[in-house]
């Protein structure tokens, strides 16, 4: 076994003009195979892994300073870069202004 508990990094965005407003609605970017929505059927792709989903698991063990690529990923999601969004299962801001 690796760990008894699994820490997850969750990427969210908001369309709220004030992200600190308690009424701001935060929407989650879903990954293709990373654990997330408990109502979603698990993804089985053995013996392979989606690379980004796999890296997100390891990113949860360290800080963002030790995983600078996470900052670049978030920047590309904020810019709604199509190539990056294609790595995600869902884009909660599709057809809308970026978060």
């Amino acid at each position: 076994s690796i760990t008894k508990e699994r820490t997850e990094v969750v990427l969210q965005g908001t369309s709220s003009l004030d992200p600190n407003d308690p009424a701001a609605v935060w929407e989650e970017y879903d990954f293709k195979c990373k654990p997330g929505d408990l109502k979603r059927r698990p993804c089985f792709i053995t013996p392979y892994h989606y690379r980004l989903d796999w890296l997100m698991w390891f990113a949860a063990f360290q800080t963002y300073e030790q995983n600078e690529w996470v900052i670049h990923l978030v920047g590309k999601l904020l810019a709604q870069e199509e190539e990056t969004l294609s790595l995600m299962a869902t884009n909660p801001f599709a057809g809308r202004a970026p978060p």
Side-chain angles (χ1 to χ4, degrees), residues 4-5 11 23 26 35 42 58 62 68 76 85 90 92-93:
K4 292 186 181 205
E5 293 182 5
L11 300 181
W26 288 87
F58 288 104
Q62 300 171 323
E68 292 180 8
K76 291 174 185 277
L85 288 168
T90 62
F93 300 96

Side-chain angles (χ1 to χ4, degrees), residues 11-23:
L11 300 181
Q12 297 177 327
T14 183
S15 294
S16 174
L17 296 176
D18 180 9
N20 294 317
D21 182 354

Side-chain angles (χ1 to χ4, degrees), residues 4-87:
K4 292 186 181 205
E5 293 182 5
R6 181 168 177 152
T7 305
E8 292 289 331
V9 174
V10 176
L11 300 181
Q12 297 177 327
T14 183
S15 294
S16 174
L17 296 176
D18 180 9
N20 294 317
D21 182 354
V25 176
W26 288 87
E27 299 176 71
E28 185 175 336
Y29 288 89
D30 288 322
F31 289 79
K32 292 181 178 179
C33 281
K34 181 178 154 304
D37 184 2
L38 297 176
K39 296 177 184 174
R40 184 181 71 187
R41 189 175 75 192
C43 173
F44 292 105
I45 52 172
T46 60
Y48 306 104
H49 297 284
Y50 281 97
R51 182 78 173 163
L52 179 58
D53 298 37
W54 181 254
L55 287 172
M56 289 298 289
W57 179 37
F58 288 104
F61 293 128
Q62 300 171 323
T63 66
Y64 70 90
E65 293 98 346
Q66 295 167 307
N67 293 283
E68 292 180 8
W69 63 268
V70 174
I71 302 299
H72 296 286
L73 171 65
V74 170
K76 291 174 185 277
L77 291 174
L78 288 172
Q80 295 215 26
E81 192 173 280
E82 286 300 320
E83 294 84 7
T84 304
L85 288 168
S86 72
L87 301 172

